[in-house]
Amino acid sequence: YDTRKCHDAIADRGAHAVIPPRKNAKPWKTVTAGAMARNEALRASKYLGRALWRRWSGYHRRSRVETKMHCVKLLGQRFMARDFDRQVAELQVRIAVLNGYTALGIPITKPVG
């Protein structure tokens, strides 16, 4: 996704790109809005380091959402029910199953203080 066309399309819509620069990335010389935003992300990732940049920019959150959507797709990409209300109920059951699995994997921490 770290391409000029992608960054320019995001900048044209007035959105903020959360795309990590490539590991061997160099600043772009063009002065489009997308290039300036990408160069800023490149400077920030080099200054903060890639791991800290991902947390600071919100990339880590985006990655977790993509992983969760992959899990939803693993439960099946089509609904069994034909009626809309039953489709809603079926989706709610899938979400409840995912939340149950997620709760099993979350460690319990004690509050500080």
Side-chain angles (χ1 to χ4, degrees):
Y1 296 108
D2 190 25
T3 62
R4 285 185 168 86
K5 288 175 87 174
C6 187
H7 281 282
D8 287 339
I10 292 169
D12 289 343
R13 289 175 175 80
H16 175 70
V18 185
I19 302 170
R22 296 175 186 161
K23 289 185 180 184
N24 61 348
K26 304 282 186 234
W28 289 341
K29 294 179 182 175
T30 56
V31 284
T32 62
M36 290 189 299
R38 192 253 187 191
N39 288 343
E40 182 180 328
L42 179 63
R43 277 193 298 274
S45 72
K46 286 190 178 189
Y47 179 75
L48 297 172
R50 288 182 70 83
L52 193 58
W53 177 84
R54 287 179 181 196
R55 293 242 183 230
W56 174 77
S57 67
Y59 181 79
H60 180 69
R61 185 174 182 191
R62 175 183 160 264
S63 176
R64 292 182 72 183
V65 169
E66 285 178 357
T67 302
K68 188 56 74 176
M69 288 305 298
H70 176 70
C71 292
V72 169
K73 289 180 181 180
L74 287 177
L75 291 176
Q77 294 188 10
R78 296 185 184 266
F79 293 118
M80 298 296 289
R82 292 186 182 181
D83 182 46
F84 178 74
D85 292 333
R86 291 182 182 177
Q87 288 177 349
V88 171
E90 185 178 335
L91 186 61
Q92 289 173 342
V93 168
R94 289 181 186 188
I95 291 170
V97 167
L98 280 174
N99 287 340
Y101 284 130
T102 303
L104 290 174
I106 295 176
I108 298 172
T109 58
K110 294 180 181 178
V112 178

mmCIF file of all heavy atoms in Angstrom, residues 11-56:
data_model
loop_
_atom_site.group_PDB
_atom_site.id
_atom_site.type_symbol
_atom_site.label_atom_id
_atom_site.label_comp_id
_atom_site.label_asym_id
_atom_site.label_seq_id
_atom_site.Cartn_x
_atom_site.Cartn_y
_atom_site.Cartn_z
ATOM 1 N N ALA A 11 -5.048 11.205 0.449
ATOM 2 C CA ALA A 11 -4.946 12.646 0.707
ATOM 3 C C ALA A 11 -6.048 13.414 -0.015
ATOM 4 O O ALA A 11 -6.570 14.402 0.514
ATOM 5 C CB ALA A 11 -3.574 13.152 0.281
ATOM 6 N N ASP A 12 -6.431 12.984 -1.221
ATOM 7 C CA ASP A 12 -7.505 13.647 -1.964
ATOM 8 C C ASP A 12 -8.837 13.570 -1.220
ATOM 9 O O ASP A 12 -9.679 14.453 -1.350
ATOM 10 C CB ASP A 12 -7.666 13.041 -3.353
ATOM 11 C CG ASP A 12 -6.509 13.400 -4.280
ATOM 12 O OD1 ASP A 12 -5.763 14.359 -3.954
ATOM 13 O OD2 ASP A 12 -6.347 12.717 -5.305
ATOM 14 N N ARG A 13 -9.031 12.522 -0.464
ATOM 15 C CA ARG A 13 -10.268 12.366 0.307
ATOM 16 C C ARG A 13 -10.194 13.056 1.662
ATOM 17 O O ARG A 13 -11.138 13.019 2.438
ATOM 18 C CB ARG A 13 -10.577 10.883 0.482
ATOM 19 C CG ARG A 13 -11.018 10.229 -0.804
ATOM 20 C CD ARG A 13 -11.211 8.733 -0.633
ATOM 21 N NE ARG A 13 -11.741 8.095 -1.810
ATOM 22 C CZ ARG A 13 -11.037 7.750 -2.874
ATOM 23 N NH1 ARG A 13 -9.748 7.982 -2.909
ATOM 24 N NH2 ARG A 13 -11.608 7.158 -3.904
ATOM 25 N N GLY A 14 -9.038 13.630 1.975
ATOM 26 C CA GLY A 14 -8.884 14.333 3.246
ATOM 27 C C GLY A 14 -8.734 13.394 4.432
ATOM 28 O O GLY A 14 -8.974 13.782 5.575
ATOM 29 N N ALA A 15 -8.330 12.169 4.169
ATOM 30 C CA ALA A 15 -8.177 11.177 5.239
ATOM 31 C C ALA A 15 -6.712 11.098 5.662
ATOM 32 O O ALA A 15 -5.822 11.630 5.000
ATOM 33 C CB ALA A 15 -8.663 9.814 4.764
ATOM 34 N N HIS A 16 -6.496 10.426 6.766
ATOM 35 C CA HIS A 16 -5.154 10.233 7.299
ATOM 36 C C HIS A 16 -4.738 8.792 7.065
ATOM 37 O O HIS A 16 -5.403 7.864 7.530
ATOM 38 C CB HIS A 16 -5.140 10.562 8.796
ATOM 39 C CG HIS A 16 -3.839 10.283 9.459
ATOM 40 N ND1 HIS A 16 -2.709 11.029 9.225
ATOM 41 C CD2 HIS A 16 -3.479 9.328 10.341
ATOM 42 C CE1 HIS A 16 -1.720 10.550 9.938
ATOM 43 N NE2 HIS A 16 -2.164 9.508 10.632
ATOM 44 N N ALA A 17 -3.657 8.589 6.341
ATOM 45 C CA ALA A 17 -3.192 7.239 6.028
ATOM 46 C C ALA A 17 -2.443 6.638 7.215
ATOM 47 O O ALA A 17 -1.626 7.303 7.844
ATOM 48 C CB ALA A 17 -2.276 7.268 4.815
ATOM 49 N N VAL A 18 -2.742 5.391 7.501
ATOM 50 C CA VAL A 18 -2.011 4.649 8.526
ATOM 51 C C VAL A 18 -1.343 3.480 7.812
ATOM 52 O O VAL A 18 -1.704 2.329 7.993
ATOM 53 C CB VAL A 18 -2.948 4.167 9.649
ATOM 54 C CG1 VAL A 18 -2.157 3.515 10.760
ATOM 55 C CG2 VAL A 18 -3.755 5.321 10.204
ATOM 56 N N ILE A 19 -0.370 3.819 6.982
ATOM 57 C CA ILE A 19 0.345 2.829 6.195
ATOM 58 C C ILE A 19 1.807 2.886 6.608
ATOM 59 O O ILE A 19 2.440 3.934 6.501
ATOM 60 C CB ILE A 19 0.226 3.122 4.684
ATOM 61 C CG1 ILE A 19 -1.236 3.140 4.266
ATOM 62 C CG2 ILE A 19 1.024 2.117 3.873
ATOM 63 C CD1 ILE A 19 -1.459 3.655 2.870
ATOM 64 N N PRO A 20 2.358 1.776 7.083
ATOM 65 C CA PRO A 20 3.768 1.822 7.471
ATOM 66 C C PRO A 20 4.658 1.939 6.239
ATOM 67 O O PRO A 20 4.447 1.247 5.241
ATOM 68 C CB PRO A 20 3.992 0.482 8.179
ATOM 69 C CG PRO A 20 2.935 -0.405 7.660
ATOM 70 C CD PRO A 20 1.763 0.464 7.319
ATOM 71 N N PRO A 21 5.650 2.829 6.289
ATOM 72 C CA PRO A 21 6.588 2.906 5.174
ATOM 73 C C PRO A 21 7.405 1.620 5.066
ATOM 74 O O PRO A 21 7.601 0.921 6.055
ATOM 75 C CB PRO A 21 7.499 4.087 5.536
ATOM 76 C CG PRO A 21 6.805 4.807 6.632
ATOM 77 C CD PRO A 21 5.919 3.833 7.305
ATOM 78 N N ARG A 22 7.860 1.322 3.881
ATOM 79 C CA ARG A 22 8.699 0.139 3.694
ATOM 80 C C ARG A 22 9.973 0.280 4.515
ATOM 81 O O ARG A 22 10.393 1.390 4.848
ATOM 82 C CB ARG A 22 9.048 -0.016 2.220
ATOM 83 C CG ARG A 22 7.840 -0.265 1.376
ATOM 84 C CD ARG A 22 8.205 -0.284 -0.087
ATOM 85 N NE ARG A 22 6.987 -0.393 -0.876
ATOM 86 C CZ ARG A 22 6.892 -0.085 -2.137
ATOM 87 N NH1 ARG A 22 7.947 0.361 -2.787
ATOM 88 N NH2 ARG A 22 5.756 -0.218 -2.778
ATOM 89 N N LYS A 23 10.607 -0.834 4.818
ATOM 90 C CA LYS A 23 11.810 -0.794 5.645
ATOM 91 C C LYS A 23 12.951 -0.046 4.966
ATOM 92 O O LYS A 23 13.751 0.606 5.628
ATOM 93 C CB LYS A 23 12.252 -2.213 6.005
ATOM 94 C CG LYS A 23 11.318 -2.866 6.983
ATOM 95 C CD LYS A 23 11.814 -4.210 7.435
ATOM 96 C CE LYS A 23 10.805 -4.783 8.417
ATOM 97 N NZ LYS A 23 11.229 -6.031 8.994
ATOM 98 N N ASN A 24 13.033 -0.102 3.658
ATOM 99 C CA ASN A 24 14.098 0.597 2.930
ATOM 100 C C ASN A 24 13.582 1.880 2.283
ATOM 101 O O ASN A 24 14.113 2.321 1.270
ATOM 102 C CB ASN A 24 14.707 -0.333 1.885
ATOM 103 C CG ASN A 24 13.692 -0.796 0.858
ATOM 104 O OD1 ASN A 24 12.491 -0.604 1.037
ATOM 105 N ND2 ASN A 24 14.164 -1.415 -0.204
ATOM 106 N N ALA A 25 12.564 2.494 2.858
ATOM 107 C CA ALA A 25 11.904 3.661 2.255
ATOM 108 C C ALA A 25 12.821 4.879 2.269
ATOM 109 O O ALA A 25 13.579 5.111 3.207
ATOM 110 C CB ALA A 25 10.627 3.973 3.011
ATOM 111 N N LYS A 26 12.724 5.650 1.204
ATOM 112 C CA LYS A 26 13.416 6.933 1.076
ATOM 113 C C LYS A 26 12.349 8.011 0.895
ATOM 114 O O LYS A 26 11.273 7.745 0.379
ATOM 115 C CB LYS A 26 14.329 6.925 -0.155
ATOM 116 C CG LYS A 26 15.337 5.802 -0.185
ATOM 117 C CD LYS A 26 16.488 6.098 0.724
ATOM 118 C CE LYS A 26 17.552 5.032 0.561
ATOM 119 N NZ LYS A 26 17.914 4.414 1.793
ATOM 120 N N PRO A 27 12.625 9.241 1.322
ATOM 121 C CA PRO A 27 11.629 10.317 1.135
ATOM 122 C C PRO A 27 11.344 10.560 -0.347
ATOM 123 O O PRO A 27 12.228 10.449 -1.191
ATOM 124 C CB PRO A 27 12.310 11.538 1.765
ATOM 125 C CG PRO A 27 13.374 10.994 2.641
ATOM 126 C CD PRO A 27 13.802 9.692 2.057
ATOM 127 N N TRP A 28 10.081 10.880 -0.638
ATOM 128 C CA TRP A 28 9.682 11.194 -2.005
ATOM 129 C C TRP A 28 9.930 12.664 -2.273
ATOM 130 O O TRP A 28 9.721 13.514 -1.411
ATOM 131 C CB TRP A 28 8.211 10.876 -2.216
ATOM 132 C CG TRP A 28 7.915 9.409 -2.237
ATOM 133 C CD1 TRP A 28 8.788 8.392 -2.441
ATOM 134 C CD2 TRP A 28 6.645 8.801 -2.050
ATOM 135 N NE1 TRP A 28 8.149 7.190 -2.398
ATOM 136 C CE2 TRP A 28 6.826 7.410 -2.162
ATOM 137 C CE3 TRP A 28 5.375 9.288 -1.803
ATOM 138 C CZ2 TRP A 28 5.779 6.514 -2.029
ATOM 139 C CZ3 TRP A 28 4.337 8.391 -1.677
ATOM 140 C CH2 TRP A 28 4.542 7.013 -1.793
ATOM 141 N N LYS A 29 10.351 12.987 -3.491
ATOM 142 C CA LYS A 29 10.680 14.366 -3.846
ATOM 143 C C LYS A 29 9.470 15.149 -4.329
ATOM 144 O O LYS A 29 9.480 16.366 -4.299
ATOM 145 C CB LYS A 29 11.777 14.384 -4.906
ATOM 146 C CG LYS A 29 13.086 13.837 -4.378
ATOM 147 C CD LYS A 29 14.164 13.835 -5.418
ATOM 148 C CE LYS A 29 15.423 13.228 -4.816
ATOM 149 N NZ LYS A 29 16.492 13.070 -5.769
ATOM 150 N N THR A 30 8.430 14.480 -4.787
ATOM 151 C CA THR A 30 7.254 15.196 -5.282
ATOM 152 C C THR A 30 6.575 15.921 -4.133
ATOM 153 O O THR A 30 6.674 15.530 -2.975
ATOM 154 C CB THR A 30 6.257 14.233 -5.944
ATOM 155 O OG1 THR A 30 5.926 13.221 -4.999
ATOM 156 C CG2 THR A 30 6.856 13.602 -7.187
ATOM 157 N N VAL A 31 5.863 16.990 -4.452
ATOM 158 C CA VAL A 31 5.241 17.818 -3.423
ATOM 159 C C VAL A 31 3.720 17.711 -3.456
ATOM 160 O O VAL A 31 3.016 18.706 -3.355
ATOM 161 C CB VAL A 31 5.674 19.298 -3.549
ATOM 162 C CG1 VAL A 31 7.069 19.497 -3.032
ATOM 163 C CG2 VAL A 31 5.557 19.773 -4.982
ATOM 164 N N THR A 32 3.202 16.514 -3.600
ATOM 165 C CA THR A 32 1.762 16.303 -3.494
ATOM 166 C C THR A 32 1.414 16.111 -2.019
ATOM 167 O O THR A 32 2.284 15.870 -1.184
ATOM 168 C CB THR A 32 1.325 15.073 -4.304
ATOM 169 O OG1 THR A 32 1.966 13.920 -3.754
ATOM 170 C CG2 THR A 32 1.682 15.215 -5.773
ATOM 171 N N ALA A 33 0.137 16.218 -1.712
ATOM 172 C CA ALA A 33 -0.299 16.053 -0.328
ATOM 173 C C ALA A 33 -0.008 14.645 0.180
ATOM 174 O O ALA A 33 0.393 14.456 1.333
ATOM 175 C CB ALA A 33 -1.791 16.366 -0.201
ATOM 176 N N GLY A 34 -0.177 13.662 -0.688
ATOM 177 C CA GLY A 34 0.101 12.283 -0.301
ATOM 178 C C GLY A 34 1.574 12.061 -0.009
ATOM 179 O O GLY A 34 1.932 11.363 0.936
ATOM 180 N N ALA A 35 2.443 12.670 -0.825
ATOM 181 C CA ALA A 35 3.885 12.522 -0.624
ATOM 182 C C ALA A 35 4.321 13.191 0.674
ATOM 183 O O ALA A 35 5.160 12.657 1.406
ATOM 184 C CB ALA A 35 4.643 13.103 -1.810
ATOM 185 N N MET A 36 3.748 14.354 0.965
ATOM 186 C CA MET A 36 4.118 15.045 2.208
ATOM 187 C C MET A 36 3.681 14.240 3.434
ATOM 188 O O MET A 36 4.429 14.126 4.406
ATOM 189 C CB MET A 36 3.517 16.451 2.226
ATOM 190 C CG MET A 36 4.175 17.387 1.223
ATOM 191 S SD MET A 36 3.695 19.111 1.363
ATOM 192 C CE MET A 36 1.951 19.039 1.066
ATOM 193 N N ALA A 37 2.492 13.657 3.384
ATOM 194 C CA ALA A 37 2.013 12.848 4.506
ATOM 195 C C ALA A 37 2.871 11.598 4.663
ATOM 196 O O ALA A 37 3.218 11.203 5.785
ATOM 197 C CB ALA A 37 0.551 12.460 4.289
ATOM 198 N N ARG A 38 3.254 10.981 3.561
ATOM 199 C CA ARG A 38 4.089 9.783 3.618
ATOM 200 C C ARG A 38 5.482 10.117 4.137
ATOM 201 O O ARG A 38 6.053 9.391 4.948
ATOM 202 C CB ARG A 38 4.172 9.167 2.228
ATOM 203 C CG ARG A 38 4.770 7.781 2.210
ATOM 204 C CD ARG A 38 6.122 7.868 1.645
ATOM 205 N NE ARG A 38 6.704 6.538 1.450
ATOM 206 C CZ ARG A 38 7.953 6.382 1.158
ATOM 207 N NH1 ARG A 38 8.739 7.407 1.032
ATOM 208 N NH2 ARG A 38 8.444 5.189 0.989
ATOM 209 N N ASN A 39 6.052 11.253 3.700
ATOM 210 C CA ASN A 39 7.372 11.660 4.192
ATOM 211 C C ASN A 39 7.326 11.952 5.692
ATOM 212 O O ASN A 39 8.271 11.653 6.421
ATOM 213 C CB ASN A 39 7.881 12.872 3.430
ATOM 214 C CG ASN A 39 8.291 12.528 2.007
ATOM 215 O OD1 ASN A 39 8.500 11.360 1.689
ATOM 216 N ND2 ASN A 39 8.383 13.531 1.164
ATOM 217 N N GLU A 40 6.225 12.534 6.152
ATOM 218 C CA GLU A 40 6.060 12.793 7.583
ATOM 219 C C GLU A 40 5.993 11.478 8.372
ATOM 220 O O GLU A 40 6.612 11.349 9.426
ATOM 221 C CB GLU A 40 4.787 13.609 7.818
ATOM 222 C CG GLU A 40 4.551 13.975 9.248
ATOM 223 C CD GLU A 40 3.273 14.772 9.427
ATOM 224 O OE1 GLU A 40 2.903 15.524 8.507
ATOM 225 O OE2 GLU A 40 2.649 14.631 10.486
ATOM 226 N N ALA A 41 5.268 10.502 7.840
ATOM 227 C CA ALA A 41 5.196 9.189 8.492
ATOM 228 C C ALA A 41 6.563 8.512 8.489
ATOM 229 O O ALA A 41 6.943 7.858 9.465
ATOM 230 C CB ALA A 41 4.166 8.309 7.797
ATOM 231 N N LEU A 42 7.317 8.678 7.416
ATOM 232 C CA LEU A 42 8.657 8.106 7.329
ATOM 233 C C LEU A 42 9.581 8.728 8.378
ATOM 234 O O LEU A 42 10.307 8.014 9.076
ATOM 235 C CB LEU A 42 9.216 8.313 5.919
ATOM 236 C CG LEU A 42 10.624 7.796 5.664
ATOM 237 C CD1 LEU A 42 10.667 6.287 5.844
ATOM 238 C CD2 LEU A 42 11.080 8.190 4.278
ATOM 239 N N ARG A 43 9.522 10.054 8.492
ATOM 240 C CA ARG A 43 10.356 10.733 9.506
ATOM 241 C C ARG A 43 9.974 10.283 10.909
ATOM 242 O O ARG A 43 10.832 10.016 11.752
ATOM 243 C CB ARG A 43 10.210 12.244 9.392
ATOM 244 C CG ARG A 43 11.089 12.870 8.344
ATOM 245 C CD ARG A 43 11.147 14.381 8.482
ATOM 246 N NE ARG A 43 9.843 15.007 8.302
ATOM 247 C CZ ARG A 43 9.319 15.349 7.135
ATOM 248 N NH1 ARG A 43 9.995 15.118 6.029
ATOM 249 N NH2 ARG A 43 8.143 15.909 7.060
ATOM 250 N N ALA A 44 8.672 10.173 11.172
ATOM 251 C CA ALA A 44 8.215 9.762 12.504
ATOM 252 C C ALA A 44 8.634 8.331 12.813
ATOM 253 O O ALA A 44 9.062 8.033 13.937
ATOM 254 C CB ALA A 44 6.699 9.913 12.606
ATOM 255 N N SER A 45 8.534 7.438 11.829
ATOM 256 C CA SER A 45 8.897 6.042 12.088
ATOM 257 C C SER A 45 10.398 5.891 12.300
ATOM 258 O O SER A 45 10.831 5.061 13.090
ATOM 259 C CB SER A 45 8.421 5.129 10.962
ATOM 260 O OG SER A 45 9.189 5.305 9.805
ATOM 261 N N LYS A 46 11.195 6.705 11.614
ATOM 262 C CA LYS A 46 12.648 6.649 11.833
ATOM 263 C C LYS A 46 13.020 7.259 13.177
ATOM 264 O O LYS A 46 13.916 6.784 13.856
ATOM 265 C CB LYS A 46 13.386 7.352 10.700
ATOM 266 C CG LYS A 46 13.395 6.535 9.423
ATOM 267 C CD LYS A 46 14.309 7.114 8.396
ATOM 268 C CE LYS A 46 14.288 6.206 7.167
ATOM 269 N NZ LYS A 46 15.285 6.572 6.195
ATOM 270 N N TYR A 47 12.310 8.310 13.583
ATOM 271 C CA TYR A 47 12.607 8.978 14.855
ATOM 272 C C TYR A 47 12.164 8.126 16.042
ATOM 273 O O TYR A 47 12.906 7.948 17.002
ATOM 274 C CB TYR A 47 11.916 10.342 14.888
ATOM 275 C CG TYR A 47 12.145 11.105 16.169
ATOM 276 C CD1 TYR A 47 13.363 11.709 16.424
ATOM 277 C CD2 TYR A 47 11.135 11.212 17.116
ATOM 278 C CE1 TYR A 47 13.579 12.407 17.595
ATOM 279 C CE2 TYR A 47 11.340 11.904 18.294
ATOM 280 C CZ TYR A 47 12.563 12.500 18.535
ATOM 281 O OH TYR A 47 12.761 13.181 19.694
ATOM 282 N N LEU A 48 10.957 7.579 15.969
ATOM 283 C CA LEU A 48 10.401 6.808 17.080
ATOM 284 C C LEU A 48 10.808 5.337 17.058
ATOM 285 O O LEU A 48 10.776 4.680 18.097
ATOM 286 C CB LEU A 48 8.869 6.881 17.050
ATOM 287 C CG LEU A 48 8.243 8.254 17.224
ATOM 288 C CD1 LEU A 48 6.750 8.174 16.969
ATOM 289 C CD2 LEU A 48 8.526 8.799 18.596
ATOM 290 N N GLY A 49 11.136 4.823 15.891
ATOM 291 C CA GLY A 49 11.335 3.390 15.722
ATOM 292 C C GLY A 49 10.021 2.795 15.231
ATOM 293 O O GLY A 49 8.938 3.315 15.516
ATOM 294 N N ARG A 50 10.110 1.683 14.502
ATOM 295 C CA ARG A 50 8.913 1.124 13.879
ATOM 296 C C ARG A 50 7.877 0.658 14.893
ATOM 297 O O ARG A 50 6.684 0.889 14.730
ATOM 298 C CB ARG A 50 9.288 -0.026 12.954
ATOM 299 C CG ARG A 50 9.968 0.447 11.689
ATOM 300 C CD ARG A 50 10.301 -0.694 10.760
ATOM 301 N NE ARG A 50 9.148 -1.303 10.146
ATOM 302 C CZ ARG A 50 8.534 -0.846 9.055
ATOM 303 N NH1 ARG A 50 8.959 0.254 8.484
ATOM 304 N NH2 ARG A 50 7.498 -1.482 8.553
ATOM 305 N N ALA A 51 8.321 0.012 15.974
ATOM 306 C CA ALA A 51 7.368 -0.521 16.957
ATOM 307 C C ALA A 51 6.614 0.603 17.657
ATOM 308 O O ALA A 51 5.382 0.555 17.792
ATOM 309 C CB ALA A 51 8.090 -1.389 17.980
ATOM 310 N N LEU A 52 7.317 1.627 18.080
ATOM 311 C CA LEU A 52 6.663 2.747 18.761
ATOM 312 C C LEU A 52 5.803 3.549 17.794
ATOM 313 O O LEU A 52 4.731 4.019 18.156
ATOM 314 C CB LEU A 52 7.718 3.639 19.415
ATOM 315 C CG LEU A 52 7.217 4.667 20.407
ATOM 316 C CD1 LEU A 52 6.451 3.976 21.533
ATOM 317 C CD2 LEU A 52 8.375 5.445 20.984
ATOM 318 N N TRP A 53 6.255 3.673 16.535
ATOM 319 C CA TRP A 53 5.455 4.384 15.541
ATOM 320 C C TRP A 53 4.121 3.701 15.324
ATOM 321 O O TRP A 53 3.088 4.358 15.171
ATOM 322 C CB TRP A 53 6.203 4.479 14.207
ATOM 323 C CG TRP A 53 5.377 5.127 13.148
ATOM 324 C CD1 TRP A 53 5.227 6.465 12.940
ATOM 325 C CD2 TRP A 53 4.542 4.481 12.183
ATOM 326 N NE1 TRP A 53 4.362 6.680 11.891
ATOM 327 C CE2 TRP A 53 3.929 5.485 11.419
ATOM 328 C CE3 TRP A 53 4.256 3.151 11.889
ATOM 329 C CZ2 TRP A 53 3.052 5.202 10.379
ATOM 330 C CZ3 TRP A 53 3.378 2.868 10.857
ATOM 331 C CH2 TRP A 53 2.793 3.888 10.111
ATOM 332 N N ARG A 54 4.121 2.365 15.305
ATOM 333 C CA ARG A 54 2.866 1.637 15.086
ATOM 334 C C ARG A 54 1.866 1.931 16.199
ATOM 335 O O ARG A 54 0.678 2.089 15.942
ATOM 336 C CB ARG A 54 3.134 0.139 14.983
ATOM 337 C CG ARG A 54 3.792 -0.209 13.684
ATOM 338 C CD ARG A 54 4.083 -1.659 13.583
ATOM 339 N NE ARG A 54 4.740 -1.909 12.305
ATOM 340 C CZ ARG A 54 4.862 -3.086 11.766
ATOM 341 N NH1 ARG A 54 4.404 -4.152 12.377
ATOM 342 N NH2 ARG A 54 5.464 -3.225 10.607
ATOM 343 N N ARG A 55 2.332 1.989 17.427
ATOM 344 C CA ARG A 55 1.428 2.326 18.540
ATOM 345 C C ARG A 55 0.981 3.787 18.446
ATOM 346 O O ARG A 55 -0.181 4.103 18.642
ATOM 347 C CB ARG A 55 2.115 2.087 19.874
ATOM 348 C CG ARG A 55 2.386 0.650 20.133
ATOM 349 C CD ARG A 55 1.635 0.211 21.354
ATOM 350 N NE ARG A 55 1.962 -1.174 21.631
ATOM 351 C CZ ARG A 55 1.054 -2.088 21.845
ATOM 352 N NH1 ARG A 55 -0.211 -1.770 21.827
ATOM 353 N NH2 ARG A 55 1.400 -3.319 22.083
ATOM 354 N N TRP A 56 1.915 4.683 18.171
ATOM 355 C CA TRP A 56 1.628 6.118 18.121
ATOM 356 C C TRP A 56 0.653 6.456 17.001
ATOM 357 O O TRP A 56 -0.251 7.262 17.168
ATOM 358 C CB TRP A 56 2.941 6.888 17.931
ATOM 359 C CG TRP A 56 2.758 8.345 17.733
ATOM 360 C CD1 TRP A 56 2.479 9.282 18.673
ATOM 361 C CD2 TRP A 56 2.842 9.048 16.487
ATOM 362 N NE1 TRP A 56 2.383 10.516 18.097
ATOM 363 C CE2 TRP A 56 2.600 10.400 16.759
ATOM 364 C CE3 TRP A 56 3.098 8.656 15.177
ATOM 365 C CZ2 TRP A 56 2.606 11.369 15.764
ATOM 366 C CZ3 TRP A 56 3.098 9.619 14.191
ATOM 367 C CH2 TRP A 56 2.857 10.960 14.487
#
